[in-house]
Amino acid sequence: MVKYLFKRLSQSVFTLFVIITVVFMLLRLMPEEGYLGSNADKMSEIQKETILTNLGLRDPMPVQIGNFYKDLAKGEFGKSITYRPDVKVSKILKDKIPYSLYFGLGSIVISLVVGISLGIMMAKSKNSILDKLGNGYIVFINAVPAAIYYLVIQLYVTDVCKLPMLFDKSNPVSWILPLISMSLGNIAAYAMWMRRYMVDEMNSDYVKLARAKGVSEKNIMVHHVLRNAFVPMAQYLPASILYTIAGSIYIESLYSIPGMGGLLVEAIQRQDNPLVQGLVIIYSSLGILGLVLGDIAMSITDPRIKLQRNGGGR
């Protein structure tokens, strides 16, 4: 177990290193105005060169990358240029992360509870009205672009249910629609896969044998069907985290939530390269962490999965 975790963490660190390095180099190919701020048009060429030299952008690329990783090891991402000039990116992120963290974790909890429960009910009442309605919901969520039903929820549900249209920190009621919107995609995915895996398990030979032996339906459902159906569900954990991240980028902007999602959109619009770089590092780290957690969750839920090199680990 320890050997496997060390191997996976080493692979994850290397992958993260490659992603960060590539993003760093790509940002260095962006127009230099992104490092000069909003007054770039009023600067002389000498002033521009002085600023770029002080930022280290005239150094050779290997030197720039080395200096960047030295600062990164100290927890420094540089200073914002246009969003909040001369303010450390780490300070900006410190103010923004709690909002994204609370909404992200909240939406994942809602998705797990509602999605898995819906999938279980659909599997137990296969071909019923509930099953058909659930399948209709899953098809709708996967077929319609998320931006469309996000807007519909904000424009019409707020009016029908008399809920606030924009986020207000002091009003918990205003948190309801963003949380629901962020959860819809994951609810559909969890329900779909839970139903599929449960139906497969319910039709398996060992379940039929258990029924023939007189084992109660409740015992079969809890100790056999649900337990085995949860194993492949663990694979969806990384996608769930990435889905939440992608949703937060749009939803936080839509509801004016002062989190990292809306910040990323604004940082790109303002060409604040150090801030974009810091956000990409965080999002990449979360995505890679999700992959590691998915592997660990599968090994915990199914003892047949061995974590050694010859044991079929991913």
Side-chain angles (χ1 to χ4, degrees):
M1 181 69 162
V2 175
K3 182 179 179 181
Y4 173 79
L5 287 177
F6 178 77
K7 179 181 177 181
R8 292 292 287 121
L9 288 174
S10 300
Q11 292 173 344
S12 300
V13 170
F14 176 75
T15 303
L16 186 60
F17 169 78
V18 172
I19 293 173
I20 294 174
T21 304
V22 170
V23 170
F24 179 88
M25 297 177 69
L26 289 175
L27 287 174
R28 289 301 185 271
L29 298 176
M30 296 289 286
E32 293 177 342
E33 286 74 10
Y35 294 95
L36 297 174
S38 56
N39 296 322
D41 296 337
K42 302 177 183 178
M43 295 180 184
S44 64
E45 291 300 322
I46 295 177
Q47 289 176 315
K48 292 180 181 179
E49 285 298 318
T50 301
I51 292 174
L52 294 174
T53 301
N54 291 336
L55 290 174
L57 298 177
R58 292 296 183 242
D59 295 333
M61 186 59 71
V63 175
Q64 293 187 44
I65 294 175
N67 292 333
F68 168 74
Y69 276 106
K70 287 179 183 178
D71 293 336
L72 188 61
K74 301 174 184 177
E76 295 294 337
F77 299 94
K79 293 184 178 180
S80 173
I81 295 172
T82 57
Y83 179 76
R84 290 172 62 183
D86 294 326
V87 176
K88 290 184 177 181
V89 172
S90 56
K91 185 180 185 305
I92 297 174
L93 295 178
K94 184 179 179 180
D95 297 334
K96 300 288 185 178
I97 287 176
Y99 291 99
S100 296
L101 183 64
Y102 295 149
F103 274 96
L105 292 177
S107 68
I108 289 177
V109 170
I110 293 172
S111 302
L112 284 168
V113 174
V114 178
I116 291 177
S117 299
L118 178 60
I120 292 173
M121 290 187 292
M122 290 169 62
K124 292 177 68 175
S125 58
K126 186 179 176 183
N127 297 324
S128 66
I129 295 178
L130 175 62
D131 187 33
K132 292 177 181 178
L133 289 175
N135 280 315
Y137 166 74
I138 293 170
V139 171
F140 175 83
I141 291 296
N142 286 283
V144 178
I148 293 178
Y149 55 78
Y150 288 161
L151 284 172
V152 170
I153 290 172
Q154 187 186 43
L155 294 175
Y156 297 103
V157 176
T158 52
D159 186 45
V160 173
C161 299
K162 306 301 179 182
L163 294 173
M165 184 174 285
L166 298 177
F167 171 78
D168 183 359
K169 182 180 178 180
S170 60
N171 184 12
V173 177
S174 67
W175 310 351
I176 296 174
L177 289 184
L179 278 171
I180 292 174
S181 299
M182 206 177 293
S183 305
L184 292 176
N186 283 330
I187 289 174
Y190 279 123
M192 178 179 67
W193 291 112
M194 195 66 197
R195 178 191 182 279
R196 173 187 170 184
Y197 294 133
M198 279 192 65
V199 170
D200 288 344
E201 293 296 327
M202 289 165 69
N203 293 326
S204 60
D205 291 337
Y206 77 91
V207 170
K208 294 177 181 178
L209 179 61
R211 287 197 182 104
K213 288 183 176 181
V215 180
S216 67
E217 195 68 26
K218 181 180 179 181
N219 196 353
I220 292 174
M221 192 63 63
V222 173
H223 293 94
H224 299 286
V225 175
L226 283 176
R227 182 176 180 180
N228 290 326
F230 270 118
V231 175
M233 284 290 293
Q235 290 181 315
Y236 186 70
L237 180 61
S240 177
I241 294 175
L242 295 176
Y243 210 132
T244 303
I245 291 173
S248 69
I249 292 175
Y250 185 81
I251 290 171
E252 288 183 9
S253 298
L254 191 64
Y255 288 92
S256 297
I257 300 172
M260 292 192 300
L263 178 62
L264 179 59
V265 174
E266 190 168 353
I268 293 173
Q269 291 174 343
R270 291 173 177 261
Q271 293 186 331
D272 197 328
N273 293 348
L275 187 53
V276 172
Q277 196 167 258
L279 289 166
V280 169
I281 291 172
I282 292 177
Y283 284 135
S284 301
S285 301
L286 288 174
I288 292 172
L289 178 63
L291 292 173
V292 176
L293 291 177
D295 283 347
I296 295 174
M298 283 193 66
S299 68
I300 293 174
T301 53
D302 189 354
R304 295 172 299 178
I305 298 175
K306 302 297 182 182
L307 297 180
Q308 283 77 19
R309 184 176 182 178
N310 60 349
R314 284 193 295 170

